[in-house]
């Protein structure tokens, strides 16, 4: 299966409707139809995208605002239309539209208003829609929400049962239908996570270079966890599980901001752009974003686009090194600046990372920064002073090894897409062994201190900063005294990887890969010997549910208990995540507060 960047995004309910309308015979052929369609020519003409099915037949997708919002907007010229395979195949091959409600014919303007700026739309002008009339008070879920959560859980469990290898377009469509139902029932968090799962499965099946198995594991854990917990939730927990459609923007008066860095955004969901981070005099962080449907080209080009706030002519690249004076500011809970009609902004001077007020970001103790990033803080950025000491090889590629206040810190590339310069810059910095630099990185929880490198001081030009996802270092940029990188032995992994590996294998290969006899021989015993007794019990249950296939009175195999396997997998995934957070906190020099297995 392939997701073409040339196709417009399609609302989840549209894909579900088109797939459901297929006959059983055509459903069996849907995956092959998607693969065949991916190689056909695509032409865009305004709001219409045409796919040449053959020399005489075209398929059209009408997408105002680059989003298909109704099944009638997908039209095919073949003799079997509208009951043909082509319409469902096109919808299944296209990116999934997020935060877009399906609209009836004639509601194109509403769809355009909702979707033109993508998920990171700048500003508070697009307010969340009114909640459905059946939305409950935040004390107990309504019957409609309970039914929607059950549908999401069952559809996500079916995807997990099949694994990415077996989760074809039909299973994806079922999860998209459940996501649409959840959104209508007032469960935007479950709906968004379900869409993320579908996008991740498509990326895996198409060998998309941006695909990351840990991200899909996290999305599955979220959607199954939310749907599983919601029936027993009440009060604040229910509000958290339901989520919000869009973050509210609140007035924040006048702001004097200083640019920190810009990073490209390139998601597996088909969105791209740039986000620029700034800070005020108190060290609070604010972001300005420009993210919309697109690919790597848009991620790179967005840095040179004018920021969407006030009348300023600053580009994202310029703002990352300059400053901004904002009046009438509006801000989301995560620090995203709004761009409403009442917001005014003008260019101001910037400061060096080692000057006030930005210097105070690096003055916060590392352990306190990590505690904030692991907790409920608004961001997961780390501001670190490091000395580059060598390289270390991981399964995903080489990492920089750096000394950070006595910790052996691993600095990895923030994105592996070859169109972005992250990994190339990392390799060049590895040759600057011995350099002491200030860096900005994103915490990567794990049993060893690890972070994703986003920006750094220039290795040979004091006062100059480098946005490692946008700027390309050259060998001439290295200091003359640079020492070649030294390879560092890789320490033994924590035994928790025995459980993590099974959690990941289930997502890739489905239940059947854990059902093989002897597949986990010795793993639970090793976990118990190292103190992970709960982990051993969780792993035992995971393998037991995977292999449990009862028979009827005639000896015939009964269908597998998919919900039971999903619950066992969810327990394993949640346990692994919590222990990894605890190990991460310990590795960075503090305790996170949990004490799973006493380890």
């Amino acid at each position: 299966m392939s997701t073409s960047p040339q196709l417009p995004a399609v609302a989840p309910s549209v894909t579900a409707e088109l797939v459901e309308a297929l006959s059983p015979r055509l459903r069996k052929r849907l995956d092959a139809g998607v693969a065949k369609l991916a190689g056909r020519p695509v032409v865009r003409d305004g709001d219409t995208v045409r796919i040449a099915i053959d020399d005489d037949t075209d398929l059209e997708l009408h997408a105002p605002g680059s989003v298909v919002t109704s099944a009638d907007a997908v039209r095919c010229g073949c003799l079997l239309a509208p009951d043909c395979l082509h319409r469902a195949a096109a919808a299944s091959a296209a990116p999934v539209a997020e935060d877009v409600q399906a609209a009836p014919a004639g509601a194109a303007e509403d769809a355009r208003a909702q979707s033109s700026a993508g998920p990171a739309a700048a500003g508070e002008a697009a307010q969340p829609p009114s909640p459905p009339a059946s939305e409950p008070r935040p004390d107990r879920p309504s019957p409609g929400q309970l039914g929607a959560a059950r549908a999401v859980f069952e559809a996500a469990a079916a995807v997990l049962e099949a694994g990415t290898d077996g989760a074809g377009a039909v299973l994806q469509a079922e999860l998209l239908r459940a996501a649409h139902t959840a959104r209508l029932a007032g469960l935007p968090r479950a709906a968004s996570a379900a869409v993320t799962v579908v996008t991740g499965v498509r990326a895996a099946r198409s060998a998309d270079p941006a695909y990351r198995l840990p991200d899909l594991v996290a999305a599955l854990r979220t959607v199954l966890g939310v749907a599983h917990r919601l029936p027993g939730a009440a009060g604040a927990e229910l509000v958290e599980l339901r989520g919000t459609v869009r973050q509210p923007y609140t007035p924040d008066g006048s702001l004097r901001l200083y640019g920190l860095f810009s990073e490209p955004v390139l998601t597996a969901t088909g969105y791209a752009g740039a986000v620029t981070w700034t800070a005020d005099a108190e060290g609070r962080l604010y972001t300005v974003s420009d993210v919309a449907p697109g690919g790597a080209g848009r991620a790179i080009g967005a840095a040179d686009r004018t920021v969407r706030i006030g009348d300023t002519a600053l580009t994202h690249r310029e703002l990352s090194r300059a400053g901004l004076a904002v009046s009438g500011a509006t801000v989301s809970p995560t620090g995203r600046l709004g761009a409403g009609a009442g917001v005014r902004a003008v260019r101001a001077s910037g400061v060096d990372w080692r000057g006030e007020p930005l210097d105070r970001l690096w003055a916060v103790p590392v352990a306190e920064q990590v505690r904030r990033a692991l907790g409920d803080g608004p961001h997961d950025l780390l501001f670190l002073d490091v000395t580059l000491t060598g390289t270390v090889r991981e399964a995903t590629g080489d990492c920089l090894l750096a000394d950070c206040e006595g910790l052996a810190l691993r600095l990895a590339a923030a994105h592996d897409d070859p169109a972005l310069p992250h990994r190339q810059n990392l390799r060049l910095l590895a040759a600057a062994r011995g350099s002491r630099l200030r860096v900005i990185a994103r915490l990567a929880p794990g049993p060893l201190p690890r972070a994703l490198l986003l920006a750094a001081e220039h290795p040979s030009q004091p006062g100059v900063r480098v946005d490692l996802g946008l700027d390309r270092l050259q060998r001439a940029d290295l200091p003359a005294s640079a020492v070649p990188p030294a390879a560092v032995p890789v320490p033994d992994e924590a035994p928790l990887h025995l459980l993590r590996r099974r959690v990941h294998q289930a997502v890739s290969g489905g239940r059947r890969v854990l059902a093989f006899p002897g597949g986990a021989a010795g793993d639970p015993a090793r976990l118990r010997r190292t103190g992970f007794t709960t982990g051993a019990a969780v792993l035992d249950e995971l393998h037991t549910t995977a292999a449990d296939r009862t028979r009827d009175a005639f000896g015939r195999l009964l269908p597998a208990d998919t919900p039971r396997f999903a619950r066992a997998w969810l327990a394993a995934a949640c346990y692994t995540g919590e222990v990894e957070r605890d190990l991460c906190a310990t590795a960075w020099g503090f305790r996170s507060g949990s004490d799973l297995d006493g380890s």
Side-chain angles (χ1 to χ4, degrees):
M1 182 177 296
S2 175
T3 300
S4 169
Q6 296 176 294
L7 295 178
V10 177
S13 61
V14 173
T15 303
E17 179 181 344
L18 292 174
V19 173
E20 186 179 36
L22 294 177
S23 67
R25 180 180 63 85
L26 290 180
R27 286 192 182 193
K28 293 179 181 179
R29 297 169 50 191
L30 182 55
D31 289 330
V34 172
K36 183 177 179 180
L37 198 67
R40 303 305 302 167
V42 177
V43 176
R44 181 181 292 272
D45 181 12
D47 290 337
T48 301
V49 175
R50 293 184 179 86
I51 306 173
I53 302 299
D54 54 40
D55 293 340
D56 302 316
T57 307
D58 286 344
L59 184 144
E60 293 185 352
L61 294 90
H62 185 59
S66 298
V67 178
V68 176
T69 57
S70 72
D72 292 340
V74 184
R75 299 183 287 268
C76 183
C78 76
L79 295 176
L80 297 178
D83 300 322
C84 62
L85 180 70
H86 304 133
R87 298 171 70 223
S92 299
V96 183
E98 297 188 67
D99 298 330
V100 177
Q101 301 291 346
E109 292 305 315
D110 292 339
R112 187 191 306 273
Q114 290 181 18
S115 63
S116 59
E124 72 288 351
Q127 296 294 331
S130 300
S134 60
E135 180 174 298
R137 294 170 298 150
D139 53 352
R140 300 296 300 176
S142 69
Q145 290 177 336
L146 292 175
R150 184 167 55 252
V152 167
F153 187 90
E154 291 174 353
V159 169
L160 175 64
E161 165 88 9
T164 56
D165 295 341
V170 174
L171 286 181
Q172 296 168 27
E174 291 299 324
L175 186 51
L176 291 178
R177 175 172 291 282
H180 179 62
T181 302
R183 190 173 297 280
L184 293 180
L187 301 176
R189 185 180 176 190
S192 178
V195 168
T196 301
V197 168
V198 172
T199 302
V201 169
R202 291 183 179 181
R205 291 171 63 86
S206 64
D208 188 329
Y211 168 69
R212 294 185 68 253
L213 177 58
D215 291 344
L216 179 55
V217 170
L220 260 173
R221 184 178 65 198
T222 297
V223 71
L224 288 171
V226 169
H228 176 71
R229 289 166 53 198
L230 190 130
E237 183 186 17
L238 178 58
V239 172
E240 176 195 356
L241 293 175
R242 288 174 58 234
T244 57
V245 177
R246 287 187 178 91
Q247 295 181 338
Y249 285 77
T250 57
D252 203 19
S254 297
L255 298 172
R256 174 63 168 91
L257 303 177
Y258 303 85
L260 278 168
F261 74 102
S262 285
E263 63 174 318
V265 175
L266 183 59
T267 74
T269 58
Y271 288 90
V275 173
T276 298
W277 292 78
T278 65
D280 67 6
E282 304 301 322
R284 291 188 297 265
L285 300 188
Y286 298 83
T287 60
V288 181
S289 60
D290 180 0
V291 181
R298 192 182 195 285
I300 297 170
D304 295 314
R305 295 166 64 99
T306 302
V307 298
R308 297 179 179 179
I309 180 169
D311 298 324
T312 177
L314 280 171
T315 66
H316 283 269
R317 194 185 300 272
E318 292 169 339
L319 176 58
S320 69
R321 292 162 175 81
L324 203 64
V326 185
S327 62
T330 57
V331 184
S332 79
T334 58
R336 182 184 299 164
L337 289 172
V343 180
R344 298 288 183 269
V346 296
R347 180 173 185 155
S349 60
V351 298
D352 181 73
W353 282 356
R354 295 182 182 270
E356 288 293 338
L358 297 185
D359 181 70
R360 66 182 59 189
L361 295 170
W362 279 265
V364 179
V366 173
E368 183 178 334
Q369 294 188 51
V370 175
R371 182 182 293 109
R372 177 185 60 201
L374 285 174
D376 297 325
H379 65 84
D380 55 359
L381 298 185
L382 302 178
F383 301 87
L384 309 172
D385 288 296
V386 303
T387 300
L388 305 182
T389 59
T391 60
V392 62
R393 175 153 295 181
E394 295 184 341
T396 56
D398 288 350
C399 291
L400 279 177
L401 195 65
D403 177 83
C404 178
E405 298 186 8
L407 291 173
L409 170 64
R410 297 174 181 220
L411 294 171
H415 206 292
D416 284 326
D417 193 290
L420 302 178
H422 286 289
R423 191 157 292 283
Q424 173 192 333
N425 288 334
L426 201 72
R427 284 195 294 266
L428 282 172
L429 286 175
R433 181 181 168 204
S435 298
R436 181 161 181 80
L437 304 173
R438 279 198 162 173
V439 303
I440 301 176
R442 179 167 285 118
L443 178 67
L448 297 172
R450 190 170 183 273
L452 306 179
L453 193 56
L454 300 170
E457 289 179 322
H458 196 286
S460 62
Q461 300 179 26
V464 176
R465 66 190 74 164
V466 180
D467 295 337
L468 295 170
L470 298 171
D471 304 324
R472 289 188 182 272
L473 289 170
Q474 305 297 325
R475 190 160 297 277
D477 293 320
L478 299 179
S481 59
V483 181
V488 178
V490 179
D492 292 337
E493 268 193 289
L496 188 66
H497 78 278
L498 299 173
L499 180 56
R500 185 196 315 116
R501 181 172 59 193
R502 302 304 177 189
V503 169
H504 287 198
Q505 283 179 336
V507 174
S508 293
R511 180 191 56 79
R512 63 185 180 278
V513 302
L514 301 185
F516 298 138
D523 287 355
R526 183 178 174 188
L527 286 169
R528 290 188 178 92
R529 285 196 302 269
T530 53
F532 290 96
T533 54
T534 302
V538 167
L539 181 56
D540 280 333
E541 175 65 10
L542 183 60
H543 279 281
T544 298
T545 56
D548 184 18
R549 294 293 302 274
T550 57
R551 298 178 181 271
D552 62 16
F554 299 99
R556 296 172 297 193
L557 277 175
L558 295 174
D561 190 343
T562 299
R564 182 190 172 196
F565 174 69
R567 289 191 294 270
W569 181 89
L570 178 61
C574 290
Y575 171 85
T576 303
E578 288 302 312
V579 174
E580 284 184 335
R581 285 168 58 86
D582 193 63
L583 290 174
C584 177
T586 302
W588 285 90
F590 70 96
R591 298 292 294 176
S592 67
S594 63
D595 192 23
L596 299 175
D597 283 331
S599 54

